[in-house]
Amino acid sequence: MNKKGILIVVSGFSGAGKGTLMKELMRKYPENYALSISATTRGPRDGEVDGREYFFLSREKFEKMIANNELIEYAKYVENYYGTPRAYVEKMLDEGKDVILEIEIQGALKVKEKFPDTLLMFVTPPNARELKSRLVGRGTETMEVIESRMNRACEEAEGMSAYDYLVVNDELDDCVEEMHSIIQGEHHRSSRNVNFMNDIKEELEELKGEN
Amino acid sequence: MNKKGILIVVSGFSGAGKGTLMKELMRKYPENYALSISATTRGPRDGEVDGREYFFLSREKFEKMIANNELIEYAKYVENYYGTPRAYVEKMLDEGKDVILEIEIQGALKVKEKFPDTLLMFVTPPNARELKSRLVGRGTETMEVIESRMNRACEEAEGMSAYDYLVVNDELDDCVEEMHSIIQGEHHRSSRNVNFMNDIKEELEELKGEN
C-alpha cells in the first residue's frame, strides 16, 4: 500500500478548535504526522517562538523564497506575507509522513490546484448555534466584533463544499480519531496506489508464464 | 453528518477471502452493515439455503423482476440469471445501514453508473505470489484449472483501478478494521453531507440576523 505521505490541508471555522485538534493528533500519532510551520514577515507576538508558531522572516528573505519557488503557497494580508515553505513538506512526505497544513480556504484551493492529490479537510462545530456561541465567547466582546466574526463564518461556510471531508468537532477525542481514521483510509485509495496495482499486474503475468 | 446508508460494492480476486471478510465484518458491526443477498435462477447446491446464500427464483419470476425494474443490476452467466433485488437494499439504506453487495466487476460498474455515490472496494492479497499460492491451493488441482484461475486473476487485475479503494487481506482482523474505517470515513465526505452544509449555511444567516 501507499507508503508515501499524503499532503493534507486542514481548514475550518474560526472557533472550530483546529489548533487543539492538530496538537492532539500530533501528540497521539507522532509517527504518522508532521505539522507544517508557516513562514511570515509579521513580527512575533508575545509568547510566539520562531520555528514553533511561525518562521519569522524578513521581507527580503520571504520575497527571495517566492522568486526561487520555495513556497508551496503564499498570500499577503494587510502588509504581511504568509506562506508554506516547500522543503520541509517535501522532506516529510518522502519520509512517509502525512503532512498537515493548517491554512484558510484560498490557500487550500491553491495547494489543491498545484498538488491535486492533496486531501482537504474542513473542521466544523456540530451546528450553527454552537458555532455562534463559540464566536460570541464569554460575553466580553463588542457587538461589532461578534458581527464581523459571524460575517466571516458565513463566508467560510460558502467554501465548505470545496473540501473532501467534513469533520465535526464536538468531542475532541472522537474528532481526533475520526480525522486519523479518514486519513488512514485515504492511504487505501486506488488512485494513491497505482504502483501497487501495476506491480500486481506485472507479477501476475510473470507467474502465469511460470506454469 | 450523513445518516443515510452508503451502498458499497465489494469485489476482489477469487481467493482473496471476500466471503470470510464480509462474514467477520457483519459479525463485528451488525448495527452498521447489511449484506445484500443476490437472486438467481440456478438451483441451490448442497448446503445452500434460500434467503441465505441466494434467493432461488424461477426464471419466470426473475424475468418479471427485470421487467418491473426490481433489480439494481443483473447478469446472465451460461444459462442462469444473477441479480441484486432493489427493495431490500433501499430499505436498509433508508434505515441508515451501509449495504454491501459482493459482486464482480461488470456488475460493480453497472451499479456505480446507476448510483454514482456507490463506494467500490477491491480486496486483494498482499502480492501476486500470495495470490497465486491461494489459487494453486493444496496441490490437488490440475494444470488446466490453475491456468484458468491465473488467467481470470489477470483479467480481474485489469479492473482494479476502477475501484475507489483497495483493501489488502493479509491478516483478517486488520483487514476487517481497515474496511470498517474506510467506510466510516466515507460518511464524512462533503459530497455525502450536502444537507448538513446547507443547514449550517442557512442557520448561520438566520443567527446573524439575530444580533
Side-chain angles (χ1 to χ4, degrees), chain A residues 3-186:
Chain A
K3 290 285 186 296
K4 205 180 175 255
I6 297 176
L7 185 57
I8 301 161
V9 169
V10 175
S11 309
F13 292 112
S14 324
K18 290 186 296 292
T20 320
L21 203 51
M22 294 303 98
K23 236 180 244 166
E24 191 57 16
L25 189 69
M26 297 300 300
R27 195 188 63 74
K28 281 186 87 169
Y29 303 102
E31 300 301 313
N32 291 263
Y33 304 113
L35 199 57
S36 157
I37 297 160
S38 297
T40 181
T41 57
R42 81 154 165 76
R45 293 180 190 144
D46 271 1
E48 286 184 344
V49 175
D50 186 48
R52 192 181 68 187
E53 279 77 15
Y54 286 98
F55 293 110
F56 296 100
L57 306 180
S58 68
R59 166 176 304 253
E60 196 193 352
K61 170 71 179 147
F62 200 104
E63 288 178 343
K64 211 168 155 184
M65 287 182 82
I66 297 175
N68 292 340
N69 194 25
E70 284 168 26
L71 296 167
I72 285 181
E73 57 81 40
Y74 71 94
K76 205 174 180 179
Y77 296 108
V78 200
E79 278 306 285
N80 287 304
Y81 286 116
Y82 294 80
T84 305
R86 174 191 299 270
Y88 176 78
V89 169
E90 293 191 338
K91 181 167 169 280
M92 290 295 113
L93 290 175
D94 285 341
E95 289 180 10
K97 296 223 179 191
D98 299 325
V99 180
I100 300 176
L101 319 184
E102 194 195 318
I103 51 182
E104 39 54 77
I105 181 161
Q106 282 79 12
L109 298 180
K110 277 191 216 167
V111 173
K112 181 89 178 181
E113 208 183 301
K114 254 191 183 167
F115 306 96
D117 286 344
T118 304
L119 186 62
L120 301 185
M121 305 181 89
F122 193 91
V123 183
T124 169
N127 56 58
R129 194 160 289 279
E130 173 65 24
L131 175 57
K132 184 174 179 181
S133 87
R134 294 192 200 175
L135 294 178
V136 169
R138 297 174 212 155
T140 53
E141 304 290 355
T142 63
M143 256 327 212
E144 281 74 28
V145 168
I146 292 172
E147 212 168 284
S148 114
R149 285 182 184 171
M150 285 300 284
N151 283 331
R152 174 139 184 230
C154 288
E155 283 169 35
E156 288 165 339
E158 289 302 319
M160 263 190 295
S161 61
Y163 286 73
D164 298 306
Y165 292 94
L166 302 181
V167 187
V168 174
N169 190 7
D170 198 1
E171 289 294 328
L172 179 67
D173 272 353
D174 295 348
C175 189
V176 167
E177 287 312 309
E178 244 170 60
M179 286 194 77
H180 180 60
S181 155
I182 290 171
I183 297 167
Q184 292 314 304
E186 271 292 316

